[in-house]
Amino acid sequence: MAIELILNGEPTQLDAPGSARLLDVLREHGHTVGVKEGCGEGECGACTVLIDDVPACSCLMFAGQANGHRVDTIESLSQGEPHPLMDAIVDAAGVQCGFCTPGIVLSAKSLLDNNPKPTREEVQVALSGNLCRCTGYHRIIDAVQSVAKNSQAKTRRP
Amino acid sequence: MTAKGKKKQATGKATKKVQKKVQKKTANTKKVTEKVTKPGKKIAVKTTEPKVVTKAATRPDFAVVGKSPRRLDGPGKTTGAATYVDDLRVADCLVGYILTSPCANARVKSIDVSKARAFPGVHAVVTAENFPGDNQVGVVKLDQPLVVSDRIRWYGDRIALIAAIDRPTALRAAALVELDVETLPSVHDPLEALADDAPRVHTEGNLAAKMVVRKGDFAEALKQADVVIERLYSTGHQEHAYLETNGILAELQPDGGMLLRGSMQCPFYVQKIVARVLQVPHSKVRAVQTTTGGGFGGKEDYPSEPAACAAILAKVTGRPVKVIYKRDEDIARSSKRHATKIKHILAAKKDGTLLGAKAEVYVDAGAYLGLSAIVAERANASAGGTYVVPHVEVDTYTVYTNNPFGGAFRGFGAPQVSFALESQMDLLAKELGRDPLELRLQNALHKGSLSPTNERLRDEPQATQTMEIARDRCGWDKRRKAVAVHNATDRYNKKGIGAASISYGCCLHAGGQHLEGSASLVQVHPDASVSVAIGGAEIGQGAYQVMALLAAESLGLPVENIRVLDTDTSLVPDSGPTVASRTTVMSGNAVLDATAQITQRMLAVAAKHLETDLKHISLRAGQVLIDGKKSKLSVAELIALCFTQKVNLTASGWYAPPRKQWDRETGTGQGYSVYCYATMVAEVTVDTVTGLVTVDKVTAVHDIGQAIFRAGVEGQIHGGVVQGLGYAIMENLVVQDGKILNPGFTDYLIPTSMDIPEIDIALIEEPYDRGPYGGKGIGEPSLIPVAPAIANAVANALDLRLYDLPLTPERVKMAWDARELAEN
Ligand code: FES
Ligand code: FES
């Protein structure tokens, strides 16, 4: 079937069976390989995408479910000026093998969009669906909080 | 506690001059965050900057070494641009699928693949019968068929290899394979497997390897002992759970050779096994590591197997073949941390002096040897830990079973034995009415003492220092008292604090020293950019960043000028595996060997150009210096000058440590090149109603030589602590009759962002004279003490000892309730 969606801001038509996993369709047809498969059962968050700004596991979605929706992958955050989270997570040494990183950045972005001043605990909760086997999470959480702080500093300035 | 401005930080040794330096706070890392306590909710944790404790009067003044410049591979990984194997796109690529056994032990009567082969979209089905190459593999011993012919020994045994246009086609074809077997009785416990009448996994018997330590005379220790502690411990399998599953892409080359690109920790193993299976020379097999989503030992030897399968299918079909495992396949087929049974006996005098340690270690190898005997070697060498023990007697049995196979996993046999020994130390302290940390201090290895494997240690052991700093940093005495007071009144939330100490031999054991050499290739380009190739692999730990820092320091260039190439067997000779916390030392020294040759040539050109003597010239941070002061020449200009003068700025480097004297018969002598010491203190809360253990805080004190990439050291410790926490309390691989019942993240639980403790780190930086700028390893020492420290904290909390890892809520609850019942 022809799936019409706004992929990373671009109206896109993907030709794929509606019952295919959104994860596979994005990787194979959408050329957005920043979407990773870590478990295929909704546990690891490596396949996280934003559907109309809400994080979702693309491994648990049929491609057809994305029809008529906005889908943002990690690639959307690197177009033009990279999202401050990307710099922050590298600066904070929150990246090791990197396999979890795209999913984590998307989950964190969604958190900050909805809650610009999260507590450490709120960051932990927001990232609890994203497994990372390398970093022990602390530096990732630091990165999210540093972005929150910097953006507050920015908005406070006239 | 804030890191800055707090001067008072006792380091324990008042007599020694200990200079403390507080690491500079980077803009975005937090020292301390507020503790948020909400009833019924997990406490948000804080982290502190690592404290640096160094004994040198002045710390060496490095330009980049010891700092934390942002990782060069960070941006690519963050934007999704980094290319992992499944992101590679090549034309005409087929999907490789491996059909594995439906049973644990069986005689194969027939395998009929005719229907599968005829299925539309299938390009090849390979079985042992039509195997176009050498079907026998194994990293240490060739005891394993790549595809089985007449005998199945475990669930991971391969029945057929299928190449098809896509995965659904391959799966449908696999379902058409007709396998006729006669199942045989199987054996799943290493102790049972050693019985005379146990089913034999291999015809020659189930004892795959045996090793010992004989130091002194343990009977003598027993004779002199006032106290003897004897207990039986067990540890379960642990799954690596790297986030990227195994994957490999094989492409047939025009000359009949093979290019393999994939997720791996040792491209040289892949090269060797694929060359063997295809029966082509090594020169025709090139293995290139793609960006790898974690390894932890799990990608040391195992990737060779799917690689060989993919290579065979590529050879048969003439098309590229990609094998990517789904998570359940990965967990079901790849190696695990060995399950063990350990009987441990400690003998001591009334005053706490250790007299002897005796251990029987049973290592469950699984159906094939793999790396098991090598892992067992380290288990064997760890039974006396970091203590002075005059009489040591260890017997380590590596045993074949029909279980999932054990392999390399961060710590490599040491975590299991350390759990037993460190539990024993606490039991001994309890028996003697002593403080457990103080008892450890009393027995800690010190300058000039003989190690438990009878080695006169060349470098001063830092065991005492790590213990003292850990004790002082966590406020041990106060916390011990505080938890006792708390526990007296709270029935439901028991608090505990426990410690564990280790020493870890960095780099390969003497038994493997024939593999202990590592290479590099460094090429300086005319524009002052630099390509560095090493034999070690980047598996997330930051090895490439370490190499970049070392090369930058040595060449006097900014880190950004350095590019570390994907590890590739065609660039450097066999450098052994990326294991044993050896990459910083081995590959690092190899890089410095190459850069030293290059800088020597550059300095000669500079001296001539600046009309001064060679000895006045040095390179630092982009500048050529004369007697430490800036000259008119930059390093970039000097490099350009070298090129116009046709000076070769490419060099290959090599490092092999001095030979170690080791006696296999007694398991004694120089086991390792150098040791890393660590002590951890864990603080826990145990819910006695549910049995749930929450780890509140871990204080980690590590002796690391010199930190090269400081943020990487910290990252390894954070990751090691959290992975060790998983091993201690949650990661429970359920293996029933050889079958893994929870091959997925739904029911094999690893720590999430909600499970992490506060982590407080202190580093002892006492440069290792044979390390690159003084560096040693950190990857594994960061995990090993975690589980025993947590187990000791749980025992402290409940006044009840558990002897089996992991300490799942069920186990804790059952032990607690059993005692309550017995007492009432
Ligand atoms: S791959 Fe979707 S959650 Fe793991
Ligand atoms: S960095 Fe490796 S899984 Fe997160």
Side-chain angles (χ1 to χ4, degrees):
Chain A
M1 87 182 244
I3 298 155
E4 290 185 22
L5 70 168
I6 313 280
L7 178 57
N8 297 333
E10 290 285 321
T12 307
Q13 191 172 328
L14 297 175
D15 198 23
S19 63
R21 296 189 305 173
L22 179 59
L23 166 65
D24 296 326
V25 173
L26 288 173
R27 288 183 54 83
E28 298 304 324
H29 304 276
H31 307 292
T32 49
V33 292
V35 191
K36 305 292 183 203
E37 176 167 356
C39 70
E41 53 184 26
E43 291 291 340
C44 76
C47 65
T48 301
V49 296
L50 302 179
I51 309 281
D52 302 328
D53 298 324
V54 179
C57 293
S58 61
C59 72
L60 294 184
M61 285 181 69
F62 293 123
Q65 289 176 283
N67 198 25
H69 291 276
R70 269 188 302 120
V71 177
D72 287 298
T73 68
I74 191 67
E75 282 82 358
S76 75
L77 300 192
S78 15
Q79 297 161 346
E81 183 93 331
H83 193 280
L85 268 168
M86 293 184 160
D87 267 342
I89 200 165
V90 180
D91 285 336
V95 180
Q96 289 191 25
C97 83
F99 205 75
C100 66
T101 313
I104 284 185
V105 169
L106 288 168
S107 293
K109 176 189 183 288
S110 159
L111 167 72
L112 293 180
D113 287 349
N114 294 301
N115 176 1
K117 287 168 65 173
T119 63
R120 200 169 178 87
E121 185 188 15
E122 285 168 337
V123 179
Q124 284 179 276
V125 172
L127 298 183
S128 61
N130 292 86
L131 295 176
C132 173
R133 191 58 156 168
C134 302
T135 65
Y137 303 102
H138 278 296
R139 293 306 174 232
I140 295 172
I141 300 166
D142 291 342
V144 179
Q145 291 209 299
S146 79
V147 172
K149 220 200 263 147
N150 288 340
S151 66
Q152 284 161 45
K154 250 183 237 155
T155 49
R156 243 184 277 126
R157 250 176 255 134
Chain B
M1 200 200 81
T2 55
K4 234 185 203 169
K6 267 228 165 163
K7 268 266 149 343
K8 174 122 185 35
Q9 187 65 52
T11 55
K13 273 254 149 117
T15 47
K16 270 207 178 115
K17 194 178 170 217
V18 179
Q19 189 208 353
K20 282 161 287 153
K21 243 190 161 177
V22 178
Q23 203 205 342
K24 252 209 232 128
K25 198 176 110 180
T26 52
N28 48 12
T29 46
K30 294 211 63 148
K31 291 175 306 186
V32 184
T33 56
E34 288 300 300
K35 269 202 173 184
V36 187
T37 321
K38 280 189 198 151
K41 274 214 163 184
K42 180 131 165 79
I43 297 166
V45 289
K46 62 177 182 177
T47 55
T48 44
E49 290 290 327
K51 182 76 127 204
V52 178
V53 184
T54 171
K55 293 196 292 169
T58 50
R59 288 170 50 70
D61 179 25
F62 294 117
V64 292
V65 158
K67 308 219 157 63
S68 300
R70 62 195 332 246
R71 272 177 75 140
L72 299 170
D73 61 355
K77 286 174 170 174
T78 316
T79 56
T83 308
Y84 300 83
V85 56
D86 200 21
D87 305 335
L88 292 170
R89 296 283 178 267
V90 293
D92 296 328
C93 190
L94 296 172
V95 165
Y97 179 78
I98 299 167
L99 176 67
T100 50
S101 165
C103 51
N105 196 10
R107 205 181 329 279
V108 177
K109 297 211 294 222
S110 70
I111 303 172
D112 182 355
V113 297
S114 52
K115 284 188 196 135
R117 199 170 276 147
F119 193 76
V122 170
H123 284 251
V125 180
V126 173
T127 61
E129 205 178 83
N130 67 341
F131 194 87
D134 191 325
N135 191 11
Q136 208 61 22
V137 296
V139 58
V140 171
K141 186 176 173 195
L142 296 167
D143 65 346
Q144 183 175 9
L146 194 66
V147 189
V148 297
S149 53
D150 53 352
R151 173 75 189 277
I152 286 166
R153 295 185 177 88
W154 76 295
Y155 277 93
D157 264 332
R158 288 165 285 262
I159 307 296
L161 315 178
I162 300 170
I165 48 163
D166 56 20
R167 188 174 158 92
T169 306
L171 287 177
R172 258 174 261 146
L176 296 174
V177 173
E178 286 166 14
L179 175 70
D180 189 9
V181 298
E182 176 201 340
T183 53
L184 302 169
S186 51
V187 61
H188 301 284
D189 177 282
L191 279 166
E192 286 168 21
L194 286 178
D196 286 340
D197 56 351
R200 292 202 161 195
V201 181
H202 292 269
T203 39
E204 66 273 20
N206 293 338
L207 182 61
K210 166 85 201 289
M211 43 205 67
V212 301
V213 179
R214 294 286 181 266
K215 177 196 176 193
D217 176 9
F218 185 75
E220 189 55 37
L222 281 183
K223 229 181 274 162
Q224 294 171 21
D226 300 311
V227 201
V228 177
I229 307 280
E230 175 174 341
R231 295 288 193 282
L232 189 63
Y233 296 86
S234 83
T235 66
H237 291 96
Q238 187 185 18
E239 161 59 31
H240 301 83
Y242 31 67
L243 215 56
E244 180 206 24
T245 57
N246 273 286
I248 194 94
L249 171 65
E251 293 166 87
L252 185 65
Q253 302 300 292
D255 64 355
M258 199 62 69
L259 167 64
L260 297 123
R261 290 185 281 169
S263 188
M264 60 182 83
Q265 250 174 278
C266 185
F268 305 99
Y269 285 173
V270 170
Q271 178 190 37
K272 199 168 149 189
I273 290 199
V274 170
R276 183 190 154 79
V277 167
L278 295 180
Q279 295 174 300
V280 297
H282 285 196
S283 58
K284 285 193 174 182
V285 178
R286 180 177 166 208
V288 183
Q289 188 208 7
T290 47
T291 306
T292 294
F296 314 111
K299 292 175 186 166
E300 181 187 351
D301 57 318
Y302 183 70
S304 308
E305 296 180 25
C309 296
I312 282 293
L313 290 171
K315 176 180 172 175
V316 172
T317 60
R319 284 175 56 172
V321 173
K322 202 195 246 184
V323 175
I324 305 286
Y325 280 0
K326 294 292 171 190
R327 178 60 60 183
D328 56 341
E329 296 167 349
D330 195 287
I331 294 181
R333 299 167 183 180
S334 66
S335 66
K336 304 284 163 273
R337 187 187 299 291
H338 290 86
T340 61
K341 296 228 158 113
I342 301 164
K343 183 170 150 189
H344 200 286
I345 309 174
L346 263 189
K349 287 197 219 155
K350 265 206 299 285
D351 70 357
T353 310
L354 290 180
L355 292 168
K358 177 173 160 70
E360 282 168 33
V361 183
Y362 298 89
V363 176
D364 182 352
Y368 300 103
L369 189 60
L371 287 164
S372 290
I374 319 283
V375 174
E377 186 109 74
R378 203 178 266 278
N380 189 58
S382 306
T386 191
Y387 307 109
V388 178
V389 194
H391 305 285
V392 181
E393 185 179 325
V394 187
D395 292 272
T396 300
Y397 304 84
T398 306
V399 189
Y400 287 128
T401 66
N402 299 107
N403 281 340
F405 79 108
F409 193 158
R410 200 178 202 169
F412 212 74
Q416 295 95 322
V417 178
S418 300
F419 163 64
L421 171 66
E422 289 299 287
S423 299
Q424 291 281 87
M425 289 299 286
D426 266 38
L427 285 166
L428 176 63
K430 193 164 183 223
E431 182 75 27
L432 295 170
R434 293 279 303 277
D435 177 88
L437 244 181
E438 198 210 317
L439 182 76
R440 285 178 172 80
L441 274 163
Q442 178 187 345
N443 289 287
L445 288 173
H446 48 76
K447 199 170 182 170
S449 53
L450 278 171
S451 79
T453 48
N454 220 21
E455 175 176 2
R456 183 78 60 196
L457 297 167
R458 172 182 173 272
D459 306 287
E460 186 183 341
Q462 302 292 326
T464 306
Q465 285 79 351
T466 62
M467 292 174 197
E468 287 173 340
I469 294 167
R471 178 192 66 196
D472 298 342
R473 234 179 130 76
C474 74
W476 173 263
D477 294 334
K478 242 171 72 189
R479 296 295 304 143
R480 292 283 286 192
K481 282 192 196 111
V483 302
V485 169
H486 170 95
N487 290 343
T489 54
D490 194 334
R491 264 189 70 188
Y492 300 109
N493 284 296
K494 298 286 186 192
K495 294 202 177 284
I497 173 167
S501 197
I502 59 140
S503 82
Y504 185 81
C506 188
C507 303
L508 302 182
H509 185 264
Q513 59 185 328
H514 56 287
L515 297 170
E516 191 77 304
S518 285
S520 74
L521 181 68
V522 177
Q523 186 180 3
V524 177
H525 302 284
D527 64 351
S529 64
V530 182
S531 305
V532 174
I534 56 168
E538 170 61 64
I539 50 174
Q541 83 281 45
Y544 286 179
Q545 186 78 356
V546 168
M547 300 309 137
L549 263 68
L550 293 172
E553 186 75 43
S554 168
L555 295 167
L557 286 168
V559 179
E560 302 75 55
N561 285 35
I562 317 291
R563 168 143 195 267
V564 184
L565 304 171
D566 287 340
T567 302
D568 181 336
T569 55
S570 69
L571 291 175
V572 291
D574 188 347
S575 300
T578 293
V579 298
S581 307
R582 72 194 275 271
T583 307
T584 294
V585 171
M586 297 300 301
S587 292
N589 275 331
V591 166
L592 291 185
D593 181 38
T595 55
Q597 299 168 45
I598 295 169
T599 46
Q600 220 167 29
R601 296 174 212 155
M602 283 166 59
L603 291 175
V605 172
K608 210 157 152 208
H609 183 78
L610 295 169
E611 297 173 342
T612 177
D613 199 77
L614 200 60
K615 65 175 188 274
H616 299 295
I617 306 261
S618 59
L619 309 173
R620 185 189 165 94
Q623 282 298 322
V624 179
L625 307 183
I626 304 178
D627 292 330
K629 294 205 186 64
K630 270 190 191 171
S631 72
K632 58 181 186 195
L633 199 62
S634 72
V635 176
E637 287 162 347
L638 171 58
I639 288 168
L641 195 62
C642 290
F643 272 87
T644 58
Q645 296 184 11
K646 297 287 159 256
V647 174
N648 174 18
L649 295 189
T650 294
S652 65
W654 180 253
Y655 178 71
R659 243 199 105 68
K660 293 173 270 290
Q661 296 301 324
W662 171 257
D663 178 32
R664 180 170 292 280
E665 295 296 297
T666 57
T668 58
Q670 290 172 285
Y672 298 94
S673 296
V674 64
Y675 295 84
C676 304
Y677 299 85
T679 297
M680 288 195 190
V681 174
E683 295 173 53
V684 304
T685 306
V686 188
D687 181 331
T688 56
V689 177
T690 61
L692 187 73
V693 177
T694 304
V695 183
D696 302 317
K697 181 178 173 187
V698 172
T699 303
V701 183
H702 288 273
D703 141 60
I704 53 160
Q706 161 72 46
I708 309 297
F709 173 42
R710 193 166 297 277
V713 171
E714 189 201 59
Q716 284 299 294
I717 298 172
H718 280 190
V721 165
V722 172
Q723 202 169 51
L725 179 154
Y727 185 47
I729 62 174
M730 47 200 299
E731 298 188 26
N732 187 22
L733 199 75
V734 185
V735 184
Q736 197 180 70
D737 298 333
K739 191 178 171 93
I740 297 173
L741 299 186
N742 52 345
F745 291 158
T746 304
D747 33 21
Y748 182 80
L749 304 182
I750 64 171
T752 72
S753 56
M754 304 294 287
D755 302 308
I756 54 177
E758 174 187 344
I759 301 172
D760 182 29
I761 299 170
L763 304 177
I764 298 175
E765 297 197 73
E766 176 82 351
Y768 166 43
D769 60 351
R770 289 179 182 155
Y773 293 116
K776 294 198 281 199
I778 184 66
E780 295 164 285
S782 63
L783 179 137
I784 303 163
V786 183
I790 291 173
N792 286 339
V794 170
N796 176 237
L798 302 179
D799 193 19
L800 175 69
R801 168 98 15 207
L802 280 87
Y803 299 94
D804 309 291
L805 278 187
L807 311 179
T808 55
E810 292 86 343
R811 276 189 178 145
V812 172
K813 173 79 181 141
M814 266 158 59
W816 176 261
D817 286 356
R819 188 183 59 184
E820 296 275 282
L821 263 174
E823 281 175 1
N824 293 326

